[in-house]
Amino acid sequence: MAKPKFRELDIAAKSYMEGLHFVSQHPMFAPLASHAQFVRREGNLCPENGWAVTTSTGHIHVHPKRRALSEEWIYILAHALLHLGFGHFQVKERQDLWNAACDCFIAKFLYDMKLGRPPAGDGRVELTAGSEEDLYLSFMERGLPSSFHNLGTAGHGYQDMILNPRTTGPSYWNNDNVNWQDCLGKGLTMAVTSAVNVTAGYEAYLGANQDVLTPALKARNWFISSYPLMGAMAADFKIIEDPVICNRLSISVAAVDAEAKEIYVNPAAGLDEQECRFVLAHEFLHVGLRHHARADGRDPYLWNVACDYVINQWLMEMGLGAFPRIGGLHDPDLKGMSAESIYDRIVNDIRLYRRVATFRGVGLGDILPPRVPDWWDRNDGLTLDEFYRSCLSNGLDYHYEQKRGLLPAGLVEEIRALSQPPILWDVELAKWFDHYFSPLEKVRTYSRISRRQSSTPDIPRPRWGPSAGDEDGRTFGVVLDTSGSMDTKLLGKALGAIASYSLSRDVPLVRVVFCDAAVYDQGYLAPEVIADRVSIKGRGGTILQPGIDLLEHAEDFPKNGPLLIITDGFCDRVKVHREHAFLIPKGQHLPFVPRGKVFRMD
């Protein structure tokens, strides 16, 4: 006997069922969907080129063969249900214009809600009327604009609302006593309640597997909703609970990757929600207090251990979560000490502290090393650094504003210290000049005699000045981006700073090169000339490499002379083989990671 052949579900039906399941489970639409009847069979009221129509009796007739993505079916079915929930089935003089007005409001509602995807167009609707009735009266006076055509689900030339429809066969579904507006009200209440529960961590996100809401995710959601000090950082970090990844990285409990904004929690550790709060707060403080950037050449593991002692002591004083049962680093004798002081203490007994275990494991730090060692000095690293500092700074202000309780004095001091504004760009540029151009020692010389005294006009007297030859080779090169995108104020500010610092550092001449799509060699200019009116050449495209090559290979330019490259950041990758620095506007980033310093002008 041959085995019976089972017919597989076609693609159109599969996508429709996925959309219907989502809408039926959505807290806002679930009460409406439970009372509506969805008709998807041959011979229903849906037009041939339509998607779905809704009747005043609560029947939603869906095209039985049309293919669409599940996101599109979500939009179509939600659109149909909202006709019932908004009470759109009213008798009007121009039923077609009333239907169009209702379609406009539903399209705008779903677009603002970001639910599903319309089958045609992006669903964007701009309305000036305050209600469907006002929009209907506007259509009656001025006609229906072309941009408001085909916003319904019935197809071109058809209305997707049908009053008093003809019967399409026997039906035992009685919707005569259903209050559709009341169903929508219940759905809105359920949606708000669900949103609060999701934020609090006691309910999974819509469409997510209920099993994924682990204690670590509940703890993370608790920080977002209830603990402003670390809420911003908790919202920006991704929690990874994959035992395979944790075993590969040798993570026994938890670790943090500040560069990737990821926190790894090993589910095999068996932490409960309170313990997860403690562990996550521990990792947040590692990043927020810039422990990775503050190592400053110290042994990474011992520095990590010192920071762990400080953080765990603070968290226990704050009563934040529960200290993990599997252990951690805590020593009451180290209370009140800074991480730097603890490090200086533990390096005297390296053998003992090499055997202690962080949350990652014995001999391993829970601050994962970055993929690129100097990522804190890169453009994006600086942005992350500022982000982490601002998270803790703003969180501290919210903590006190909402009177969330006392915090350890050491933690508050570190956050306040990290919240101080960074060094101004002109101060950093001055340090750069000091590095290459140390002050000249003046000597008594007769090469340029000083003004003679009136009492003894025949006696020449020496004056103080730099010794002969000290100014030789005391210069640097400037490659100035003179493309059309460079702001004139930016050029003036940069040239003014260069002239001022050159004069104060006894730099007699500066080699200047203008560069846009071509190179314009200006030769050596005195700082006084740069400070005066300078005629800029260029204002075309941006190609800086020829200007850099000119200075690097110029025979009249010292081999050890540094370069200062002034650009707005809209340039291609360049190669510089000598000491150099970039001067760019604040907020701009170079399309590459330079080896030299980067100063950002305000």
Side-chain angles (χ1 to χ4, degrees):
M1 182 177 179
K3 295 183 179 180
K5 295 182 179 180
F6 295 96
R7 183 180 180 184
E8 295 183 357
L9 193 64
D10 62 273
I11 298 177
K14 182 180 179 181
S15 299
Y16 165 75
M17 294 304 297
E18 290 176 354
L20 178 60
H21 177 75
F22 183 91
V23 172
S24 300
Q25 297 297 318
H26 195 287
M28 180 182 294
F29 298 99
L32 290 169
S34 63
H35 290 86
Q37 182 181 9
F38 297 89
V39 181
R40 187 176 182 270
R41 60 172 181 262
E42 296 287 346
N44 63 17
L45 301 180
C46 183
E48 183 65 25
N49 295 324
W51 299 93
V53 295
T54 310
T55 70
S56 58
T57 58
H59 292 71
I60 298 176
H61 295 256
V62 181
H63 197 288
K65 295 182 178 180
R66 294 204 67 171
R67 290 190 177 185
L69 299 175
S70 58
E71 293 85 357
E72 294 174 335
W73 280 120
I74 291 172
Y75 182 92
I76 294 167
L77 298 178
H79 185 107
L81 290 172
L82 287 176
H83 275 312
L84 297 169
F86 286 160
H88 286 164
F89 288 92
Q90 304 175 21
V91 178
K92 298 291 183 179
E93 180 182 352
R94 288 287 303 275
Q95 205 67 34
D96 56 336
L97 296 181
W98 170 249
N99 201 147
C102 295
D103 287 337
C104 292
F105 267 83
I106 291 180
K108 178 173 175 53
F109 181 86
L110 293 177
Y111 179 82
D112 294 339
M113 190 178 174
K114 308 299 181 185
L115 183 69
R117 189 172 73 180
D122 60 355
R124 185 190 300 270
V125 179
E126 299 294 338
L127 298 179
T128 57
S131 65
E132 295 92 328
E133 188 69 32
D134 295 338
L135 190 61
Y136 167 70
L137 295 177
S138 175
F139 291 167
M140 289 284 289
E141 294 177 1
R142 305 186 184 102
L144 181 63
S146 58
S147 59
F148 290 164
H149 283 283
N150 300 326
L151 293 179
T153 60
H156 181 68
Y158 292 92
Q159 302 175 29
D160 60 356
M161 290 195 302
I162 302 177
L163 284 168
N164 304 318
R166 60 178 176 86
T167 59
T168 59
S171 175
Y172 304 97
W173 199 277
N174 186 5
N175 294 329
D176 295 338
N177 298 323
V178 177
N179 188 331
W180 299 105
Q181 288 87 343
D182 184 60
C183 290
L184 180 60
K186 292 179 180 178
L188 291 172
T189 303
M190 292 172 58
V192 173
T193 304
S194 177
V196 174
N197 291 337
V198 167
T199 305
Y202 295 104
E203 182 179 326
Y205 293 95
L206 184 64
N209 189 347
Q210 297 293 331
D211 297 333
V212 302
L213 206 61
T214 60
L217 292 179
K218 289 184 179 180
R220 173 181 176 271
N221 293 338
W222 177 82
F223 278 108
I224 296 175
S225 62
S226 305
Y227 206 76
L229 179 62
M230 305 177 196
M233 300 189 67
D236 200 62
F237 270 82
K238 180 180 180 181
I239 308 297
I240 298 179
E241 299 180 84
D242 190 334
V244 177
I245 296 178
C246 291
N247 291 335
R248 187 174 71 243
L249 297 176
S250 301
I251 300 173
S252 60
V253 180
V256 61
D257 188 338
E259 182 183 10
K261 296 184 181 180
E262 295 173 345
I263 293 181
Y264 300 88
V265 178
N266 194 337
L271 302 178
D272 59 23
E273 184 178 348
Q274 293 296 323
E275 292 173 329
C276 285
R277 291 183 185 180
F278 188 98
V279 171
L280 292 184
H282 179 101
E283 307 301 345
F284 292 150
L285 288 178
H286 268 318
V287 178
L289 297 177
R290 304 178 66 247
H291 284 162
H292 192 283
R294 291 165 53 191
D296 291 333
R298 299 182 178 91
D299 182 274
Y301 170 69
L302 296 180
W303 171 250
N304 199 150
V305 170
C307 296
D308 279 5
Y309 279 118
V310 176
I311 290 177
N312 290 341
Q313 178 63 40
W314 286 340
L315 294 177
M316 294 185 69
E317 293 179 17
M318 295 160 63
L320 184 55
F323 197 84
R325 293 163 293 178
I326 59 176
L329 297 180
H330 177 245
D331 188 349
D333 294 337
L334 303 177
K335 180 179 180 180
M337 298 179 62
S338 65
E340 289 78 6
S341 300
I342 295 177
Y343 179 86
D344 294 338
R345 180 171 176 176
I346 65 179
V347 292
N348 296 323
D349 195 355
I350 296 180
R351 291 185 178 181
L352 171 63
Y353 289 98
R354 283 288 183 188
R355 296 192 295 269
V356 299
T358 67
F359 284 143
R360 187 181 178 189
V362 177
L364 299 171
D366 60 337
I367 305 176
L368 296 179
R371 299 173 179 85
V372 180
D374 61 343
W375 75 277
W376 282 97
D377 296 328
R378 296 182 344 217
N379 295 336
D380 54 348
L382 290 173
T383 302
L384 281 178
D385 186 14
E386 296 171 359
F387 169 75
Y388 292 141
R389 286 190 283 110
S390 64
C391 283
L392 277 184
S393 177
N394 295 333
L396 183 63
D397 295 335
Y398 292 143
H399 188 93
Y400 283 134
E401 288 177 3
Q402 300 179 14
K403 300 180 180 180
R404 295 284 180 154
L406 299 177
L407 295 173
L411 174 60
V412 176
E413 289 178 1
E414 286 206 16
I415 296 176
R416 293 300 188 195
L418 294 175
S419 303
Q420 296 300 318
I423 300 175
L424 297 178
W425 69 273
D426 50 355
V427 177
E428 292 183 334
L429 184 61
K431 292 181 179 179
W432 185 81
F433 273 92
D434 290 337
H435 176 71
Y436 293 105
F437 306 108
S438 58
L440 294 178
E441 294 186 5
K442 295 184 177 182
V443 297
R444 292 166 61 90
T445 175
Y446 285 93
S447 61
R448 292 182 61 187
I449 59 176
S450 63
R451 181 178 299 176
R452 303 188 182 197
Q453 297 182 5
S454 59
S455 58
T456 56
D458 297 333
I459 303 176
R461 287 177 173 80
R463 67 173 297 164
W464 289 97
S467 61
D470 282 356
E471 294 183 352
D472 295 343
R474 193 177 177 86
T475 185
F476 64 98
V478 175
V479 179
L480 183 61
D481 181 3
T482 57
S483 61
S485 59
M486 284 288 288
D487 186 11
T488 55
K489 293 182 178 179
L490 176 67
L491 291 173
K493 185 182 296 185
L495 291 175
I498 292 172
S500 300
Y501 287 129
S502 299
L503 287 171
S504 63
R505 267 70 177 180
D506 298 318
V507 176
L509 296 172
V510 180
R511 184 66 182 272
V512 180
V513 172
F514 297 157
C515 190
D516 59 348
V519 180
Y520 310 94
D521 188 2
Q522 303 300 299
Y524 284 96
L525 299 179
E528 297 85 353
V529 176
I530 298 177
D532 201 358
R533 299 177 62 88
V534 178
S535 178
I536 301 295
K537 297 181 181 180
R539 315 309 289 172
T542 305
I543 306 177
L544 296 180
Q545 191 63 53
I548 296 173
D549 294 340
L550 186 148
L551 286 178
E552 288 190 329
H553 299 95
E555 296 181 356
D556 59 344
F557 188 67
K559 293 184 179 180
N560 59 347
L563 299 182
L564 185 60
I565 305 168
I566 305 174
T567 178
D568 56 359
F570 300 103
C571 59
D572 296 330
R573 179 182 295 273
V574 296
K575 293 182 180 180
V576 190
H577 300 93
R578 63 175 68 202
E579 297 294 331
H580 63 282
F582 287 89
L583 193 59
I584 64 176
K586 185 176 182 180
Q588 292 294 337
H589 297 282
L590 296 173
F592 53 91
V593 180
R595 291 184 295 107
K597 290 184 175 296
V598 178
F599 307 119
R600 289 177 172 82
M601 292 187 293
D602 296 331

